Amino acid sequence: MGHREHETPQAEATPCPGCGAAAGALVDSLPTADLAELYRRRGIEVSAYFETTALIRRFRCQACDLGYFSPPCPGDGPFYEQLQTQSWYYQDEKPEYDYAARFIQAGQRVLEVGCGKGAFHAWLPSKVSYRGLEFNMEAVQKAQAAGLDVRKQSIEEHATRHPAAYDRVCSFQVLEHVPEPASFVHACVDALAPGGLLIIAVPAEDSFLAVAANAPLNMPPHHVLRWSDRALRNLANREGLVLKDLWHEPIAPFHRDWQLQALAHHYLARRRARLIDHSLRYRLAARLLQRQSIRDWLAQRAVRASPDLERGHTVILVAEKPALT
Ligand SMILES: [Zn+2]
């Protein structure tokens, strides 16, 4: 009985965590045992987060276009501590830092939500008043030791105490981790002064990431949301913001091989992308794609069919809180 209920999407459809609409279209179902195995191959143990469910379903909101997982099984403190022991996890230089910094001028009050060690501060003009919020205590201590004003506090709590206090509220690679994005973004907007800018960078769903199979870090417990351009625009609209920019970064050199591999697989499969693919067909294709000339030729065909797949990992939304009239 229980098993049959799992296969009836309507019976358990989960409302969209972004806009609250009831109807999410079921896109894909991820067996959590397979997902845990993908993480294990990268040296990360996640099975504790999947204890209550054998299957995570992936939805796309038909109203706002946000991609989400149900149950979201979000990671917690110990999960992120585990990730930080991986050499590839910390990045002090992100292409989006450079782009976002163009929107920030000397004298402005900047709040960064989920700021880690505060690496973004180094990209800002010297006369900026910078404050960061971060949950990871080790990162908070490192930032404070470097003389930065970084606190362990949620944006919801911070905005209550500091309404309309900032000219810029930024967050980089955070919103895809947040199971309740509506209250997160609403609080970011509360903290903004009228005329201020919200700057949010997330992994782009309108990029090669949409078709990258067997990439566990873009799935729970790491990422619980997938943001398309349309979903970001709708987010800004719901908050009464005026869209100023939606920028896709070009592919980063260190993502190029991953991108070509994903696109070549996608072109060969020619069907709706599944996030986890353990089929024999996939494994045979992987062997074929070790030949770079074949891989690159197929990837080129994929881009010709869907130009968005050429885009890089990250998209940045810049939106303005209207000035009071
Ligand atoms: Zn929605």
Side-chain angles (χ1 to χ4, degrees):
M1 274 309 273
H3 189 70
R4 189 165 297 166
E5 279 168 27
H6 265 287
E7 290 170 350
T8 313
Q10 270 72 23
E12 293 178 74
T14 312
C16 169
C19 73
L26 182 66
V27 181
D28 199 355
S29 282
L30 318 176
T32 50
D34 292 349
L35 185 48
E37 176 56 27
L38 287 175
Y39 273 99
R40 208 166 288 130
R41 286 184 207 163
R42 288 173 163 258
I44 304 160
E45 189 48 56
V46 298
S47 41
Y49 302 94
F50 300 151
E51 268 168 6
T52 58
T53 184
L55 217 56
I56 295 177
R57 286 170 309 142
R58 174 188 172 205
F59 292 95
R60 192 149 192 165
C61 177
Q62 288 172 305
C64 80
D65 206 44
L66 179 63
Y68 59 98
F69 295 92
S70 175
C73 304
D76 54 6
F79 172 70
Y80 286 98
E81 280 160 28
Q82 217 190 139
L83 279 179
Q84 280 156 20
T85 63
Q86 307 280 328
S87 60
W88 42 263
Y89 197 72
Y90 264 130
Q91 269 179 271
D92 284 344
E93 293 193 16
K94 297 180 182 172
E96 65 263 31
Y97 285 169
D98 184 39
Y99 191 82
R102 297 178 198 180
F103 294 89
I104 298 172
Q105 286 91 44
Q108 290 182 328
R109 301 158 295 172
V110 176
L111 178 69
E112 184 184 359
V113 187
C115 66
K117 301 174 292 178
F120 180 50
H121 177 260
W123 296 76
L124 298 176
S126 56
K127 284 184 180 149
V128 153
S129 145
Y130 173 88
R131 183 175 281 165
L133 306 178
E134 172 59 45
F135 283 135
N136 183 306
M137 205 50 215
E138 203 185 313
V140 170
Q141 283 162 355
K142 277 184 187 162
Q144 289 175 346
L148 297 178
D149 178 358
V150 169
R151 310 161 177 201
K152 186 175 179 181
Q153 197 173 43
S154 73
I155 178 59
E156 286 88 344
E157 194 186 346
H158 190 78
T160 311
R161 294 186 201 175
H162 303 272
Y166 299 95
D167 304 299
R168 303 289 183 261
V169 174
C170 312
S171 122
F172 302 97
Q173 315 297 346
V174 172
L175 197 54
E176 69 276 21
H177 299 266
V178 179
E180 286 166 13
S183 77
F184 178 96
V185 173
H186 194 71
C188 287
V189 174
D190 278 349
L192 266 181
L197 295 180
L198 178 68
I199 303 175
I200 289 183
V202 286
E205 187 66 359
D206 293 330
S207 79
F208 77 99
L209 292 180
V211 301
N214 301 334
L217 289 164
N218 205 14
M219 297 183 240
H222 194 232
H223 293 174
V224 300
L225 300 174
R226 295 170 77 109
W227 293 95
S228 66
D229 289 3
R230 197 150 77 81
L232 288 169
R233 278 200 195 94
N234 283 324
L235 172 81
N237 284 341
R238 279 197 304 279
E239 289 296 333
L241 304 175
V242 179
L243 185 75
K244 290 288 170 185
D245 197 5
L246 199 56
W247 179 75
H248 283 267
E249 72 168 23
I251 190 76
F254 54 88
H255 282 155
R256 189 67 178 160
D257 276 332
W258 175 28
Q259 180 198 39
L260 292 170
Q261 193 79 5
L263 297 194
H265 269 294
H266 173 65
Y267 190 76
L268 278 178
R270 289 188 200 194
R271 61 192 155 89
R272 199 169 58 175
R274 293 187 64 90
L275 291 188
I276 299 181
D277 193 342
H278 283 167
S279 65
L280 177 63
R281 181 181 166 151
Y282 185 90
R283 279 177 283 147
L284 288 173
R287 202 170 296 173
L288 175 73
L289 298 179
Q290 284 172 1
R291 293 272 298 274
Q292 283 192 14
S293 54
I294 298 177
R295 181 198 70 177
D296 296 357
W297 185 82
L298 290 167
Q300 229 174 52
R301 313 289 296 182
V303 168
R304 207 167 295 167
S306 321
D308 287 358
L309 296 175
E310 173 68 14
R311 292 165 165 170
H313 174 282
T314 295
V315 60
I316 300 187
L317 167 88
V318 181
E320 187 179 73
K321 182 174 182 172
L324 298 172
T325 47

